[in-house]
């Protein structure tokens, strides 16, 4: 193989939740590897991400879409491909968290988590995947979690959804691998983003978490970069249905 197999030059990458957190980290690394980027979030713009992507000489477009209300992603992919061209890479990253003891978990919050963290991901995979299958090539990266493997505490909906992401990734890979579309997932460990503000602020929980991370630090969005580029690039063409942990060694403990 050549090192150019890792290049994303000339590619178009769509990142849900590319405006901040892990999505921003992955959007910027896509640009570093040569791709133009479309970020999908609730707002109309992603100024911070756009500034970083454009500073690298790549284009960054923002599309507004509330995944909590998504019933079909057909119009989303149609709008993006009409305006910006064929999508080579889809990163399903956007997500939310809700914490309640399981016996008190409100069903509306369960439904919301399932919609944003699992149902909308399937709709996005289906709509973008159809077009990738027609072209015979494409890379889909779903963002899973350590809770794709374990149950966690007070996050039953999130754990159920992220377990579903791991299974969905494998199910799609089985059907699409021979047709030129790679579907894989990244399971981040404990990452310092807005989603974890409460955990980071809880000194007891934060110390317990840190104690278990072999790398002895929380992850940062940039830590997602190497794995994201690898799974988005030709270098991973024979990799299908994998859930790769980027977790500072957490799963090895
Ligand atoms: P952040 O809270 O920092 O960012 C969440 C992103 O999702 C934002 O860009 C947000 O955009 C977008 N988003 C949320 N709800 C919607 C919606 N209804 N429609 C469109 N976009 C939405 O989270 P992280 O960066 O930490 O998490 C990113 C992914 O990684 C998630 O799937 C999360 O579950 C997963 N993950 C995170 C871990 C961590 O430790 N941080 C660990 C394991 C997995 P906006 O609000 O602007 O619309």
């Amino acid at each position: 193989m050549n090192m150019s197999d890792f290049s994303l030059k000339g590619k178009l990458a769509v990142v849900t939740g590319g405006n901040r957190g892990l999505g921003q980290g992955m959007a910027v690394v896509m640009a570093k590897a040569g791709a133009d980027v479309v970020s999908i979030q609730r707002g109309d713009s992603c100024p911070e991400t756009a500034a970083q992507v454009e500073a690298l000489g790549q284009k960054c477009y923002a599309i507004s879409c509330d995944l909590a209300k998504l019933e079909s992603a057909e119009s989303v992919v149609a709008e993006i491909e009409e305006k910006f061209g064929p999508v080579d890479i889809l990163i399903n990253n956007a997500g939310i968290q809700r914490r309640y003891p399981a016996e008190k978990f409100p069903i509306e919050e369960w439904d919301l988590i399932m919609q944003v963290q699992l149902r909308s991901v399937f709709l996005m995979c289906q709509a973008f995947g159809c077009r990738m299958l027609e072209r015979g090539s494409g890379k889909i990266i779903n963002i899973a979690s350590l809770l794709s493997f374990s149950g966690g505490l007070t996050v039953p909906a999130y754990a159920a959804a992220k377990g579903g992401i791991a299974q969905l990734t494998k199910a799609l890979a089985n059907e699409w691998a021979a047709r030129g579309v790679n579907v894989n997932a990244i399971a981040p460990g404990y990452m310092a983003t807005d989603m974890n503000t409460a955990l980071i602020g809880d000194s007891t929980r934060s110390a317990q978490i840190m104690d278990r991370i072999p790398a002895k630090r929380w992850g940062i969005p940039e830590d997602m970069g190497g794995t994201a580029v690898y799974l988005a690039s030709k270098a991973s063409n024979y990799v299908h249905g994998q859930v790769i942990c980027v977790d500072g060694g957490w799963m090895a403990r």
Side-chain angles (χ1 to χ4, degrees):
M1 69 163 283
N2 298 313
M3 291 314 286
S4 62
D5 287 353
F6 287 94
S7 170
L8 302 180
K9 206 166 167 31
K11 304 288 185 189
L12 181 65
V14 171
V15 184
T16 68
N19 58 323
R20 58 193 170 91
L22 303 186
Q24 181 175 74
M26 291 186 283
V28 172
V29 82
M30 291 291 114
K32 278 188 184 161
D36 291 330
V37 175
V38 179
S39 173
I40 295 179
Q41 58 283 307
R42 284 170 285 197
D44 293 330
S45 64
C46 54
E48 271 184 28
T49 305
Q52 292 182 52
V53 166
E54 285 160 11
L56 292 160
Q58 298 303 135
K59 297 196 177 79
C60 183
Y61 311 103
I63 292 281
S64 168
C65 173
D66 185 352
L67 298 170
K69 298 186 179 138
L70 193 74
E71 283 302 324
S72 159
E74 195 39 56
S75 61
V76 181
V77 67
E79 179 186 354
I80 291 174
E81 295 214 335
E82 200 169 293
K83 286 185 177 162
F84 315 124
V87 174
D88 305 287
I89 301 153
L90 169 66
I91 305 183
N92 285 306
N93 159 83
I96 51 171
Q97 179 60 291
R98 295 289 187 274
R99 295 176 185 276
Y100 301 90
E103 69 277 17
K104 294 181 186 155
F105 206 95
I107 198 64
E108 309 77 46
E109 299 281 44
W110 172 278
D111 290 343
L112 178 64
I113 292 275
M114 286 297 164
Q115 167 67 28
V116 175
Q117 290 279 26
L118 186 57
R119 190 168 181 271
S120 77
V121 174
F122 178 59
L123 292 170
M124 293 288 286
C125 286
Q126 223 179 15
F128 285 75
C130 268
R131 304 220 176 191
M132 291 174 175
L133 290 167
E134 277 168 19
R135 293 190 284 267
S137 72
K139 300 275 183 178
I140 297 178
I141 304 169
N142 295 325
I143 301 307
S145 165
L146 299 181
L147 298 188
S148 299
F149 308 100
S150 56
L153 289 168
T154 70
V155 288
Y158 185 89
K162 290 299 192 183
I165 288 293
Q167 293 302 93
L168 174 63
T169 298
K170 293 172 206 169
L172 297 178
N174 286 342
E175 292 195 39
W176 296 351
R179 298 161 70 191
V181 177
N182 296 70
V183 187
N184 289 290
I186 302 175
Y190 283 86
M191 314 300 272
T193 65
D194 295 346
M195 187 173 279
N196 283 326
T197 306
L199 271 187
I200 293 166
D202 178 337
S203 54
T204 309
R205 279 290 285 134
S206 191
Q208 287 167 344
I209 288 165
M210 185 71 86
D211 189 49
R212 200 193 139 162
I213 303 174
K216 292 296 161 214
R217 66 171 176 84
W218 286 65
I220 54 172
E222 288 78 354
D223 289 320
M224 303 286 285
T227 310
V229 168
Y230 168 61
L231 291 178
S233 72
K234 195 177 165 191
S236 63
N237 271 3
Y238 199 57
V239 177
H240 295 279
Q242 294 301 305
V243 183
I244 300 179
C245 293
V246 175
D247 65 351
W250 176 281
M251 286 298 286
R253 281 297 278 268

